[in-house]
Amino acid sequence: MNNPASNQINRRARVVEAYSNRGVARHEDGQLAAFHFPRRLERPLPGDWIELSDNGSLEVVEERRNTFGRGDPRGRFRPVAANLDLALIIIAAQPSPSPDLIHRYLAACLIREIEPVVVVNKSDLDEPDQPPFTELDGLVELGYRVVRVRCKPEPDIDALAALLGQGTSLLAGQSGVGKSSLVNALIPDYDQQTGELSRVTGKGTHTTTSATLCALPAGGWLLDTPGVWEYGLWVMPRNELARGFPEFVPFADHCRFRDCSHNHEPGCAVRAAAESGELADFRYQAWLRLLNEQVRLSR
Ligand code: GDP
Ligand code: ZN
C-alpha cells in the first residue's frame, strides 16, 4: 500500500498576486486559486511558477529565471516579480519623469537580465524639450527600443501590442502615465480578470499593493506593477551597476585600470570616448549620476 501522503498530486500554477503569507495563483487551465504559504518556503512572487497541493497549500516554488525589483529606502533590493522576458518602462509627457528615471529602469532591467523597452504613452501630447525626451533618439541609436503609443483621444497601441509575444512582460512606470489605460486597451477582458481575482480573494474591489499577473488575449502574460512616484535602485557593487551600461564595454576594455570607475581615473577610455563623441555623453553623464547616487544610498 502506498502511503496516502505520497499519493498527493501537486498541480502547477503561476502566481498572480502575492502578499506576506497568502496569494492567488492561476492553474494551467485558467482557474484561479487562493493559497497560503508556510514560512519555511521562500516568499513567492507574482510570475513565479509554483506547485499547489489538492488542498491548496503551496508545496514548491520553482527556480526563477530572473526577478525584477527596486531599492527600498535603505537601499536594499526588494523583488517585485519573477520570470520576466520584457520590461515595458512607461513614460509620458505628463507627468513628466525625472531625468534619471529611465536610466535607472534601463540599468535595473539589464542587470536583472530582462529586455527593456521604453514606451512613451500619450503620444497625442507634445514631448517636452528636455531629458529624457531629448535623449530618446540617442537611446535608439545605441540599440535600445523605444515605442510611442496613446490611449487618447483614440487608442493607438499597435507598436506595443506587437512586442508582446508569448512571454511575460512587466509594465512599470510612475502613477499617472496611463498604465491602467494601457492595460485596459491591451486586455479587453481586464475587468473580468480582476473581478475573478476579487471573487477568489473575497475583496470587493481590485486595489492592490502587489504586482498582478494578467493573461493577454493572444497568449503571453502582462505583469502590471503598482504605480510609483519615483523608481530607486539598490546598493550594488560597481561591476553590477556597469552591467546597466553595456555600451561602455568596448571602451572600458581600454581603461588604464581594470577596476576603473570611469569617473576621475587617469587613462579612462570611457570618459575619453564620451568627450570625443564616440560614446553618447548623456549616457556617460547618467552613469556618473547613478554612481554618485550609489554613494548616497550606501550611507
Ligand atoms: P495610471 O495612473 O498610470 O494607471 O494612469 P491612468 O490610466 O489612470 O491615466 C492617467 C490619466 O492620463 C487619465 O486622466 C487618463 O485619461 C490619461 N491618459 C491615459 N492615456 C492617455 C493618452 O494617451 N493621452 C492623453 N492625453 N491622456 C491619457
Ligand atoms: Zn574608465
Side-chain angles (χ1 to χ4, degrees), residues 252 255 257 260-263 265 267-271:
C255 291
F257 302 110
C260 186
S261 71
H262 318 311
N263 190 356
E265 290 92 339
C268 173
V270 171
R271 191 181 58 237

Side-chain angles (χ1 to χ4, degrees), residues 107 111-112 234-245 287:
I111 290 165
R112 309 300 297 186
W234 55 97
V235 178
M236 63 183 96
R238 200 165 61 218
N239 59 359
E240 189 175 329
L241 186 64
R243 294 216 311 268
F245 290 78
W287 162 260

Side-chain angles (χ1 to χ4, degrees), residues 75-103:
R76 288 169 305 198
F77 179 76
R78 290 285 178 220
V80 168
N83 299 320
L84 303 157
D85 298 288
L86 211 60
L88 309 169
I89 305 159
I90 319 288
I91 60 168
Q94 294 279 341
S96 189
S98 64
D100 283 335
L101 186 92
I102 276 201
H103 298 290

Side-chain angles (χ1 to χ4, degrees), residues 64-286:
R64 297 169 177 145
R65 192 147 46 85
N66 55 28
T67 55
F68 181 82
R70 50 187 299 136
D72 73 7
R74 293 172 66 182
R76 288 169 305 198
F77 179 76
R78 290 285 178 220
V80 168
N83 299 320
L84 303 157
D85 298 288
L86 211 60
L88 309 169
I89 305 159
I90 319 288
I91 60 168
Q94 294 279 341
S96 189
S98 64
D100 283 335
L101 186 92
I102 276 201
H103 298 290
R104 290 196 201 101
Y105 268 125
L106 288 176
C109 293
L110 295 165
I111 290 165
R112 309 300 297 186
E113 295 178 347
I114 303 161
E115 194 183 337
V117 180
V118 176
V119 179
V120 184
N121 188 32
K122 312 197 187 186
S123 64
D124 54 307
L125 305 179
D126 287 336
E127 286 176 22
D129 193 19
Q130 62 189 49
F133 298 98
T134 48
E135 298 171 348
L136 296 176
D137 289 346
L139 285 176
V140 171
E141 273 172 41
L142 287 168
Y144 294 95
R145 289 206 274 180
V146 177
V147 299
R148 289 181 170 80
V149 295
R150 63 165 188 260
C151 303
K152 284 184 164 182
E154 73 289 322
D156 178 6
I157 56 161
D158 294 353
L160 177 55
L163 291 174
L164 311 171
Q166 302 297 303
T168 305
S169 304
L170 181 93
L171 205 59
Q174 280 176 299
S175 306
V177 294
K179 235 155 36 67
S180 327
S181 308
L182 283 172
V183 171
N184 275 292
L186 289 166
I187 306 178
D189 72 343
Y190 179 71
D191 287 346
Q192 199 184 322
Q193 290 193 33
T194 55
E196 274 288 289
L197 259 176
S198 306
R199 194 183 55 71
V200 170
T201 57
K203 295 231 183 72
T205 49
H206 182 78
T207 50
T208 167
T209 52
S210 162
T212 304
L213 188 73
C214 309
L216 288 162
W221 311 78
L222 197 67
L223 235 161
D224 187 20
T225 61
V228 293
W229 286 112
E230 189 50 282
Y231 175 76
L233 290 176
W234 55 97
V235 178
M236 63 183 96
R238 200 165 61 218
N239 59 359
E240 189 175 329
L241 186 64
R243 294 216 311 268
F245 290 78
E247 65 270 32
F248 290 11
V249 171
F251 306 104
D253 286 345
H254 297 102
C255 291
R256 186 176 306 163
F257 302 110
R258 261 198 82 158
D259 63 345
C260 186
S261 71
H262 318 311
N263 190 356
H264 42 64
E265 290 92 339
C268 173
V270 171
R271 191 181 58 237
E275 279 166 5
S276 72
E278 273 180 282
L279 174 67
D281 189 54
F282 76 95
R283 283 288 282 169
Y284 179 62
Q285 298 302 327

